[in-house]
Amino acid sequence: MASLRFPFSSFPPPINPKPNSSPTSSFRFLAAAGASVAGACAAITVTQNSDKHPLLQNTLNFILSHLHFTPNAPSTSSPFFCASLSLSSDVTPPHVTESKTGASFPSLVRDSQTLLGIGLRSKSLFGLKNINVYAFGVYADEDDVQKYLKKKYGNISASELKDNKDFHDDLLEADLNLTVRLQIVYSRLSVRSVRSAFEESVGSRLQKFGGPDNKELLHRFTSQFKDEMKLPKGSVIELSREHGHVLRTKIDGEDVGSIESKLLCQSVLDLYIGEDPFDRQAKEHVMHKLASGFEKN
């Protein structure tokens, strides 16, 4: 079974004043700590008072609904993104937490699909601030991967394979089970915003892989996200490619639709593990885990 390794060395060490530090330096240390606490309290106050200013919140919601998504800033900029996934340990925790948002992902879904990597989908406000919209986890049935791809790639080292374009393309096109699990972390996200975002992102991939004449296929997919649905913080959307190139969509465990289309499956998965993914570090974790799997079998 797949397992996880958490490189705790990536966490910054605790700050301990030296025993022989002077009273002045100790005072400065305490003052800096007090300023940090005060800043955090101020940020919490602003967040809690947002409900008292509906005009401000409505403006933010409007901006979120109309701005283009941009790829996340490189995850290496944050020392707290440290859930590195590996097959080298024998202990697998039942859940993995995305450290920036606190979103929790089970290590196993659908009885046989294991977690390969986690990432974030963010939206940029005027290029000045990133709003975290949802965290996501990518899962695969490793027996499926071995069955379909080991013969072709089993003799290539993991270090070479994880950057192999043919391997990436085969993962997108092969008839094997993959799931992307989205967990909403923005508390005021509407279904209309989700539908609009998928119209843009999935639509561009459908055009990339299949040309411009796929508007009906795109509509079949996006129409599954109906206006009357609610997506409060913590809601879970699952997009799963099943055998036969069937893309199945679930919201909070409820089946909302399935579409048999190799092109649609490829286009949706390309958002997360394709050439230009939403979170590049998450894709690298996924590819490393899958490539390492061939060496273990």
Side-chain angles (χ1 to χ4, degrees):
M1 178 176 289
S3 56
L4 306 163
R5 178 190 302 152
F6 294 86
F8 293 105
S9 59
S10 63
F11 283 92
I15 300 174
N16 293 318
K18 295 180 180 179
N20 61 349
S21 60
S22 66
T24 301
S25 62
S26 297
F27 175 78
R28 289 174 179 169
F29 173 78
L30 292 174
S36 299
V37 173
C41 291
I44 292 171
T45 301
V46 170
T47 302
Q48 290 176 338
N49 287 339
S50 63
D51 290 338
K52 299 179 182 179
H53 301 281
L55 179 60
L56 178 61
Q57 186 61 56
N58 288 340
T59 302
L60 178 61
N61 287 340
F62 176 83
I63 292 172
L64 284 171
S65 298
H66 290 80
L67 286 181
H68 294 293
F69 277 111
T70 58
N72 294 340
S75 299
T76 52
S77 63
S78 170
F80 296 104
F81 189 90
C82 61
S84 177
L85 295 157
S86 171
L87 288 174
S88 61
S89 174
D90 294 329
V91 179
T92 302
H95 290 82
V96 178
T97 300
E98 199 291 309
S99 55
K100 292 181 182 178
T101 62
S104 179
F105 292 87
S107 296
L108 187 71
V109 298
R110 294 173 167 251
D111 296 328
S112 62
Q113 296 185 36
T114 56
L115 182 61
L116 305 177
I118 55 179
L120 274 176
R121 181 68 169 117
S122 299
K123 205 168 191 179
S124 177
L125 295 179
F126 305 116
L128 300 175
K129 179 179 177 59
N130 277 344
I131 300 296
N132 294 328
V133 181
Y134 62 80
F136 65 87
V138 180
Y139 297 78
D141 186 324
E142 292 186 81
D143 288 339
D144 250 12
V145 175
Q146 294 290 325
K147 174 182 176 182
Y148 284 95
L149 300 180
K150 185 173 182 178
K151 183 176 181 180
K152 184 175 181 180
Y153 299 106
N155 294 326
I156 303 177
S157 69
S159 59
E160 294 177 315
L161 189 57
K162 66 184 180 66
D163 296 319
N164 186 301
K165 186 179 184 302
D166 289 339
F167 180 52
H168 293 179
D169 292 344
D170 281 342
L171 283 173
L172 293 177
E173 298 178 25
D175 187 19
L176 54 86
N177 291 326
L178 281 173
T179 293
V180 182
R181 181 183 176 97
L182 321 179
Q183 186 173 147
I184 307 300
V185 297
Y186 178 61
S187 60
R188 296 181 182 274
L189 187 67
S190 68
V191 171
R192 183 174 298 180
S193 296
V194 172
R195 187 169 60 241
S196 176
F198 277 137
E199 284 172 351
E200 179 184 346
S201 59
V202 177
S204 68
R205 266 56 173 197
L206 286 172
Q207 186 166 347
K208 169 185 173 182
F209 294 118
D213 299 325
N214 290 287
K215 292 182 179 180
E216 181 181 350
L217 179 59
L218 178 62
H219 176 72
R220 286 177 61 197
F221 171 66
T222 57
S223 64
Q224 296 175 129
F225 301 91
K226 304 183 185 303
D227 287 340
E228 61 269 21
M229 293 176 176
K230 303 296 182 184
L231 289 174
K233 183 176 180 178
S235 297
V236 173
I237 301 173
E238 280 192 1
L239 304 171
S240 298
R241 178 178 64 191
E242 301 177 346
H243 287 159
H245 295 286
V246 173
L247 184 74
R248 187 172 303 280
T249 304
K250 292 185 177 183
I251 298 180
D252 289 333
E254 181 180 348
D255 196 335
V256 298
S258 60
I259 301 171
E260 183 180 347
S261 169
K262 180 178 180 180
L263 175 60
L264 181 61
C265 291
Q266 180 182 13
S267 298
V268 170
L269 293 174
D270 187 70
L271 301 175
Y272 304 96
I273 58 173
E275 285 185 313
D276 187 22
F278 288 158
D279 189 319
R280 190 163 296 279
Q281 190 176 64
K283 175 197 169 177
E284 290 174 357
H285 287 161
V286 170
M287 292 302 169
H288 175 74
K289 177 98 181 271
L290 287 172
S292 299
F294 289 119
E295 294 184 341
K296 299 293 181 180
N297 291 277

